[in-house]
Amino acid sequence: MRNYLLLTPGPLSTSETVRQAMLQDWCTWDKDYNLGVVTPLRKGLLEIAGLDPQDGTYTTVLLQGSGTYGVEATITCAVRPTDKLLIVSNGAYGKRMADIARHAGIPHVHVALKETEQVTPEIVKKAIAENPDATHFSVVHCETTTGILNPVADLAPIVKGAGLTLIVDAMSSFGGIPIDIRGLGIDFLISSANKCIQGVPGFCFVIARRSELEKCKGVSRSLSLDIYDQWETMEKGGGKWRFTSPTHVVRAFFQALQELKAEGGVAARYARYRENHDTLVNGMREAGFRTLLADDIQSPIITSFLYPSADFDFADFYEKLKAEGFVIYPGKISEADTFRIGNIGDVFPADFRRLTDIIRTL
Ligand SMILES: *Cc1c(COP(=O)(O)O)cnc(C)c1O
């Protein structure tokens, strides 16, 4: 039933069992769905994040829409008109957070780094020192634009030490790279259904410190993106969504979460993604390609490769690989001509060996 393998950072290749989980219709108002699917799903998200659902420090909100909806909902609910958001970006998704703040008229400062420059503790320290009135700090964990990994474990102590609320866009890393949410003191972490949990697209979720989420009451600039109201309805209604829930997508995600647990949890998935990445990069280097980023700042999620020559025809390369059953991704940066290959999804080292064997013959 597969047309091709998606080596893209979402939507990505899902397992057949995840896709099969969509073959039933569910009533959004019935307890089979709210208590049988949504409630255990919310609990399961906390569990895979290493958080104890019983202790109540952290909670989850599910929201209709793609990942950007979750980032926009969080920023527009968590940052009040009297607050100031400090954003340090090194790619399109970090820039998008600044776009969101600008659209909503939210006071913010945007420190934009080069797309190949990692967000370091020194940069964050300096940005906070220059903006003593900042109340919130947001950063992207894995910047999918290039595949660069920002060292959130080293950044968090600086942000929290300065007393700022920490918002992390972990869209393309949550579930695929271990993140110690509690230990790092992350206040809001955003991800979506169609990334490392390996579900299909249709909703996003926020893992939030409950005390911070409670402060969002009445702050939202939008009705449908109000994560406080959405959360309150889910809490009081035993898993009810405020507006039509993407039932099939949610049921598929519930299956995907079970498959993540069966694989051995986030640590095991991280190990597989690393092996996918290593197999890909070794094979590509053998085929004469170079990576955009140095290995020490590269994530195992998605990798940018430089065009091997000035006359490299990406469109032709893309079509040839597609004919062999692999869909890759164009580049997204201005500094260099690149294309990207994703390592996440229901894909395995053997798939990357097969891919690079084909690339060597092109
Ligand atoms: C995928 C992604 C998003 C959200 O993108 P959508 O197209 O709205 O799903 C945000 N941030 C990062 C880092 C991403 O990889």
Side-chain angles (χ1 to χ4, degrees):
M1 286 304 288
R2 258 186 180 152
N3 37 359
Y4 36 60
L5 275 186
L6 281 166
L7 303 181
T8 55
L12 35 67
S13 290
T14 52
S15 68
E16 189 168 336
T17 33
V18 163
R19 280 174 274 129
Q20 272 167 356
M22 290 187 283
L23 295 177
Q24 245 174 355
D25 302 316
W26 296 84
C27 171
T28 35
W29 298 100
D30 188 86
K31 64 178 177 7
D32 287 353
Y33 177 67
N34 290 313
L35 294 181
V37 179
V38 180
T39 300
L41 185 163
R42 292 179 67 215
K43 189 162 160 269
L45 271 179
L46 292 178
E47 283 165 358
I48 66 137
L51 300 165
D52 180 2
Q54 299 310 321
D55 101 338
T57 313
Y58 283 90
T59 185
T60 57
V61 198
L62 316 178
L63 184 71
Q64 297 91 336
S66 79
T68 304
Y69 292 63
V71 178
E72 182 153 16
T74 302
I75 289 175
T76 55
C77 289
V79 189
R80 292 164 175 269
T82 50
D83 292 335
K84 184 168 162 188
L85 173 66
L86 173 59
I87 303 157
V88 180
S89 77
N90 53 353
Y93 295 103
K95 280 204 189 83
R96 192 172 292 172
M97 297 199 281
D99 277 348
I100 287 167
R102 190 172 44 76
H103 267 269
I106 290 173
H108 68 286
V109 179
H110 178 203
V111 178
L113 310 179
K114 276 173 39 180
E115 288 149 324
T116 49
E117 184 181 5
Q118 200 181 36
V119 180
T120 60
E122 293 67 40
I123 291 168
V124 171
K125 247 181 232 159
K126 183 162 173 279
I128 292 176
E130 286 171 357
N131 294 281
D133 55 341
T135 53
H136 293 65
F137 178 88
S138 65
V139 72
V140 174
H141 184 208
C142 171
E143 202 15 292
T144 323
T145 309
T146 55
I148 201 168
L149 192 66
N150 290 318
V152 72
D154 301 330
L155 309 180
I158 297 163
V159 174
K160 299 302 294 182
L164 307 189
T165 301
L166 176 56
I167 301 170
V168 178
D169 171 349
M171 207 69 66
S172 64
S173 56
F174 181 75
I177 300 179
I179 307 170
D180 182 6
I181 296 177
R182 176 193 294 276
L184 299 179
I186 294 172
D187 297 295
F188 295 94
L189 178 141
I190 308 130
S191 189
S192 74
N194 61 281
K195 302 246 170 154
C196 297
I197 313 276
Q198 297 180 186
V200 303
F203 75 95
C204 52
F205 56 88
V206 184
I207 297 181
R209 184 188 299 282
R210 191 185 169 114
S211 58
E212 286 295 320
L213 183 60
E214 283 170 346
K215 289 188 205 159
C216 297
K217 184 173 179 153
V219 178
S220 183
R221 280 79 170 173
S222 152
L223 175 73
S224 56
L225 298 182
D226 187 337
I227 49 170
Y228 179 84
D229 269 7
Q230 180 87 342
W231 174 70
E232 192 182 46
T233 302
M234 277 187 180
E235 289 284 299
K236 290 191 175 153
K240 285 204 175 77
W241 297 53
R242 280 179 310 164
F243 310 124
T244 301
S245 155
T247 45
H248 301 76
V249 172
V250 171
R251 182 61 186 84
F253 188 83
F254 186 48
Q255 172 66 24
L257 259 187
Q258 284 161 314
E259 292 180 13
L260 173 56
K261 281 188 202 158
E263 185 172 345
V266 179
R269 183 152 294 178
Y270 177 58
R272 171 163 64 87
Y273 288 171
R274 289 216 67 89
E275 205 184 333
N276 286 349
H277 169 77
D278 292 348
T279 308
L280 169 72
V281 170
N282 292 338
M284 289 296 280
R285 285 181 176 152
E286 277 167 33
F289 287 85
R290 286 190 302 132
T291 57
L292 171 73
L293 302 173
D295 292 349
D296 62 338
I297 58 171
Q298 169 69 54
S299 72
I301 302 296
I302 184 166
T303 311
S304 296
F305 293 96
L306 295 162
Y307 283 12
S309 61
D311 62 351
F312 177 71
D313 185 346
F314 175 74
D316 179 63
F317 184 71
Y318 174 91
E319 287 303 334
K320 281 182 175 144
L321 291 181
K322 189 175 157 194
E324 297 283 351
F326 296 99
V327 165
I328 64 167
Y329 219 43
K332 202 176 184 171
I333 69 165
S334 41
E335 293 165 35
D337 284 329
T338 57
F339 62 87
R340 292 175 288 173
I341 300 182
N343 301 118
I344 60 178
D346 189 45
V347 288
F348 299 86
D351 296 315
F352 292 94
R353 270 191 288 278
R354 203 156 53 79
L355 171 74
T356 52
D357 283 348
I358 290 165
I359 288 176
R360 253 197 309 275
T361 67
L362 292 181

